[in-house]
Amino acid sequence: MTPSGTDGAQAPTGQPGPTPPAASGPALTATPPTLTPGKPIRLARGALVAEVQPGCGARVSRLARRDTRGDLFDYLVPLGNEPFSSDEWPKAGAFPMLPYTNMLRDDTLHWRERILTVREASVASSSLHGWGLRREWEVVDESSHCCVLQLDCPAQPEWPWHYQAYLSVTLDELGVDMQLSLTNLSAQEMPAGLGMHPYFRWPAGARLTFESEALWRSASEDIRWPSEQRVHVGPMEVVSVGGGLDTGGRSTWFAEVPSGTGRFDARIDYAGGLRCATVRSDNASWLVLHSPAGRPYLCLEPSTHRVGEFDHDHVVLAHGQTLDLSMRIDLA
């Protein structure tokens, strides 16, 4: 990853630096125990419609196509209207992951000479996927087909850096573009990672195709990071039986970006061949695939770093530097 900054310089990596200061962020930055869907931002372009919930972690709560009869076909699992725990969110929609993706080993970050417990005491597993999905974002721009949301996070004990994030969601007649950025506002350097987490519908008969340089699997469902590697995988195909990815009972795969391309393309074809969704990212290093057995959803998560290895596989942002991640979903 190459972060951008005012001078366009590459962020330094792994050099000794000052210890981050103690957190001084106000209490209101703490994760709320409950998130409640409100009136969504509604986007429309051609036959496509999307809804965004700024107050529920900047989540795209619906992405669908309207047919000639007026019926909607949902590509993402719709969020619904019921309040939910910020620690037990519905498996629906699509949300940003920041300032890192997925989880850290033992909820711990080893940062230079410090050991940080990356978990809020009031929320049992708040290290999972970071804090962006648990906070209310501010709407800074909105039109009939695009919205831009902002999240400002002062330093706190669990993450002693001040950062600001932006998410733009732009709908066109072919699909949706999601652009996520993270800027370090602290004087000290900050480790950073980004990801996007969509929940696609994954009914029996749906078919997934993608290509990967190497495919990693977790050793078991109790271990949630890569541990077993298959190298030079090439094209892959998975057919849904109503949930799950493989006969070994493991629900999560980790795919490295194909060498020489620098981009991911993963496509879901729905039964009957009438609808498909293609996920692309030009600046992700990994694609996390997740589908528990018996659960008819499939997550295709572009990520900038390897799950469970954030201590070593991250970008370091100097003050004012920005890390970017894109996700394009083409719909037919």
Coordinates of all heavy atoms in Angstrom, one line a residue, residues 56-88:
C56 N -25.4 3.9 11.6 CA -25.1 2.5 11.9 C -23.8 2.1 11.2 O -23.7 1.2 10.5 CB -26.2 1.6 11.4 SG -27.8 1.7 12.3
G57 N -22.7 2.9 11.5 CA -21.4 2.6 11.0 C -21.2 2.8 9.5 O -20.4 2.1 8.9
A58 N -21.9 3.8 8.9 CA -21.8 4.1 7.5 C -22.1 2.9 6.7 O -21.5 2.6 5.6 CB -20.4 4.6 7.2
R59 N -23.0 2.1 7.1 CA -23.4 0.8 6.4 C -24.3 1.0 5.2 O -25.3 1.7 5.3 CB -24.0 -0.1 7.4 CG -24.3 -1.6 6.9 CD -25.0 -2.4 8.0 NE -24.3 -2.4 9.2 CZ -23.8 -3.6 9.7 NH1 -24.0 -4.7 9.1 NH2 -23.2 -3.6 10.9
V60 N -23.9 0.4 4.1 CA -24.8 0.3 3.0 C -25.8 -0.7 3.4 O -25.5 -1.9 3.4 CB -24.1 0.0 1.7 CG1 -25.1 -0.2 0.5 CG2 -23.1 1.0 1.3
S61 N -27.1 -0.3 3.7 CA -28.0 -1.2 4.2 C -28.9 -2.0 3.2 O -29.6 -2.9 3.5 CB -29.0 -0.5 5.2 OG -29.6 0.6 4.5
R62 N -28.8 -1.5 1.9 CA -29.5 -2.2 0.9 C -28.9 -1.9 -0.5 O -28.4 -0.7 -0.7 CB -31.0 -1.8 0.8 CG -31.8 -2.6 -0.1 CD -33.3 -2.4 0.1 NE -34.1 -3.6 -0.5 CZ -35.4 -3.7 -0.5 NH1 -36.1 -2.7 0.0 NH2 -36.0 -4.7 -1.0
L63 N -28.8 -2.9 -1.4 CA -28.3 -2.7 -2.7 C -29.1 -3.6 -3.6 O -29.0 -4.8 -3.4 CB -26.8 -3.0 -2.8 CG -26.2 -2.8 -4.2 CD1 -26.3 -1.4 -4.6 CD2 -24.7 -3.3 -4.1
A64 N -29.9 -3.1 -4.5 CA -30.9 -3.9 -5.2 C -31.1 -3.3 -6.6 O -30.8 -2.2 -6.9 CB -32.2 -3.9 -4.5
R65 N -31.7 -4.2 -7.4 CA -32.1 -3.8 -8.8 C -33.7 -3.9 -8.9 O -34.2 -4.9 -8.5 CB -31.4 -4.6 -9.9 CG -31.9 -4.4 -11.3 CD -31.2 -5.3 -12.3 NE -29.8 -5.0 -12.4 CZ -29.2 -4.0 -13.1 NH1 -30.0 -3.3 -13.8 NH2 -27.9 -3.9 -13.1
R66 N -34.3 -2.9 -9.5 CA -35.7 -3.0 -9.8 C -36.0 -3.5 -11.2 O -35.4 -3.0 -12.2 CB -36.3 -1.6 -9.6 CG -37.9 -1.6 -9.5 CD -38.4 -0.2 -9.3 NE -37.9 0.5 -8.1 CZ -38.3 0.3 -6.9 NH1 -39.4 -0.6 -6.7 NH2 -37.8 0.9 -5.9
D67 N -36.9 -4.5 -11.3 CA -37.2 -5.1 -12.6 C -38.3 -4.3 -13.3 O -38.9 -3.3 -12.7 CB -37.4 -6.6 -12.6 CG -38.7 -6.9 -11.7 OD1 -39.5 -6.1 -11.6 OD2 -38.7 -8.1 -11.3
T68 N -38.7 -4.7 -14.4 CA -39.8 -4.0 -15.2 C -41.1 -4.1 -14.5 O -42.0 -3.3 -14.8 CB -39.9 -4.6 -16.6 OG1 -40.1 -6.0 -16.5 CG2 -38.6 -4.4 -17.4
R69 N -41.3 -5.0 -13.6 CA -42.6 -5.1 -12.8 C -42.5 -4.3 -11.5 O -43.5 -4.2 -10.8 CB -42.9 -6.6 -12.5 CG -43.1 -7.4 -13.7 CD -43.4 -8.9 -13.3 NE -42.2 -9.4 -12.6 CZ -42.1 -10.7 -12.2 NH1 -43.2 -11.5 -12.3 NH2 -41.1 -11.1 -11.5
G70 N -41.4 -3.7 -11.2 CA -41.2 -2.9 -10.0 C -40.7 -3.7 -8.8 O -40.6 -3.2 -7.8
D71 N -40.5 -5.0 -9.0 CA -39.9 -5.9 -7.9 C -38.4 -5.6 -7.8 O -37.7 -5.4 -8.7 CB -40.2 -7.3 -8.2 CG -41.7 -7.7 -8.3 OD1 -42.4 -7.0 -7.6 OD2 -42.1 -8.6 -9.0
L72 N -38.0 -5.7 -6.5 CA -36.5 -5.5 -6.2 C -35.8 -6.8 -6.0 O -36.3 -7.7 -5.3 CB -36.4 -4.6 -5.0 CG -36.7 -3.1 -5.1 CD1 -36.7 -2.5 -3.8 CD2 -35.8 -2.5 -6.1
F73 N -34.7 -7.0 -6.6 CA -33.8 -8.1 -6.4 C -32.6 -7.6 -5.5 O -31.8 -6.7 -5.9 CB -33.2 -8.7 -7.7 CG -32.2 -9.8 -7.4 CD1 -32.7 -11.1 -7.3 CD2 -30.9 -9.6 -7.4 CE1 -31.8 -12.2 -7.1 CE2 -30.0 -10.6 -7.2 CZ -30.4 -11.9 -7.0
D74 N -32.5 -8.1 -4.3 CA -31.4 -7.7 -3.4 C -30.2 -8.5 -3.6 O -30.2 -9.7 -3.5 CB -31.9 -7.8 -1.9 CG -32.9 -6.8 -1.5 OD1 -32.4 -5.6 -1.4 OD2 -34.1 -7.1 -1.3
Y75 N -29.0 -7.8 -3.8 CA -27.7 -8.4 -4.0 C -27.1 -8.6 -2.6 O -26.5 -9.6 -2.3 CB -26.8 -7.6 -4.9 CG -27.3 -7.5 -6.3 CD1 -28.1 -6.5 -6.7 CD2 -26.9 -8.5 -7.2 CE1 -28.6 -6.4 -8.0 CE2 -27.3 -8.4 -8.5 CZ -28.1 -7.4 -8.9 OH -28.6 -7.3 -10.2
L76 N -27.2 -7.5 -1.7 CA -26.8 -7.6 -0.4 C -27.9 -8.0 0.5 O -29.1 -7.8 0.2 CB -26.2 -6.3 0.1 CG -25.0 -5.7 -0.6 CD1 -24.7 -4.3 0.0 CD2 -23.8 -6.6 -0.5
V77 N -27.6 -8.7 1.6 CA -28.7 -9.0 2.6 C -29.2 -7.7 3.2 O -28.4 -6.9 3.7 CB -28.1 -9.9 3.7 CG1 -29.2 -10.2 4.8 CG2 -27.6 -11.2 3.2
P78 N -30.5 -7.3 3.1 CA -30.9 -6.1 3.6 C -30.8 -6.0 5.2 O -30.9 -7.0 5.8 CB -32.4 -6.0 3.2 CG -32.6 -7.1 2.1 CD -31.5 -8.1 2.4
L79 N -30.5 -4.8 5.7 CA -30.3 -4.6 7.1 C -31.5 -4.8 7.9 O -31.5 -5.4 9.0 CB -29.6 -3.2 7.3 CG -29.4 -2.9 8.8 CD1 -28.4 -3.9 9.4 CD2 -28.8 -1.5 8.9
G80 N -32.6 -4.2 7.5 CA -33.8 -4.2 8.4 C -33.9 -2.9 9.3 O -33.0 -2.1 9.2
N81 N -34.9 -2.8 10.1 CA -35.1 -1.6 10.9 C -34.9 -1.7 12.4 O -35.1 -0.8 13.1 CB -36.5 -1.1 10.6 CG -36.7 -0.8 9.1 OD1 -35.9 -0.1 8.5 ND2 -37.8 -1.2 8.6
E82 N -34.6 -2.9 12.9 CA -34.6 -3.2 14.3 C -33.2 -2.7 14.9 O -32.2 -2.9 14.3 CB -34.8 -4.6 14.6 CG -36.2 -5.2 14.2 CD -37.3 -4.5 15.0 OE1 -37.1 -4.2 16.2 OE2 -38.3 -4.1 14.4
P83 N -33.3 -2.1 16.1 CA -32.0 -1.8 16.8 C -31.2 -3.0 17.1 O -31.8 -4.1 17.2 CB -32.5 -1.2 18.2 CG -33.9 -0.7 17.9 CD -34.5 -1.7 16.9
F84 N -29.9 -2.9 17.2 CA -29.0 -4.0 17.4 C -27.8 -3.6 18.2 O -27.4 -2.4 18.3 CB -28.6 -4.7 16.1 CG -27.8 -3.7 15.1 CD1 -26.5 -3.6 15.2 CD2 -28.6 -3.0 14.2 CE1 -25.8 -2.7 14.3 CE2 -27.9 -2.2 13.3 CZ -26.5 -2.0 13.4
S85 N -27.3 -4.6 18.9 CA -26.1 -4.3 19.7 C -24.9 -4.0 18.8 O -24.7 -4.6 17.8 CB -25.7 -5.6 20.6 OG -24.4 -5.5 21.1
S86 N -24.1 -3.0 19.3 CA -22.9 -2.7 18.5 C -21.9 -3.8 18.5 O -20.9 -3.7 17.7 CB -22.3 -1.4 19.0 OG -21.9 -1.5 20.4
D87 N -22.0 -4.8 19.3 CA -21.1 -5.9 19.4 C -21.7 -7.1 18.7 O -20.9 -8.1 18.6 CB -20.7 -6.2 20.8 CG -19.5 -7.0 21.0 OD1 -18.5 -6.8 20.2 OD2 -19.4 -7.9 21.8
E88 N -23.0 -7.1 18.4 CA -23.6 -8.3 17.8 C -24.5 -7.8 16.6 O -25.7 -7.8 16.7 CB -24.4 -9.1 18.8 CG -23.7 -9.7 19.9 CD -22.8 -10.9 19.4 OE1 -23.1 -11.4 18.3 OE2 -21.8 -11.3 20.1

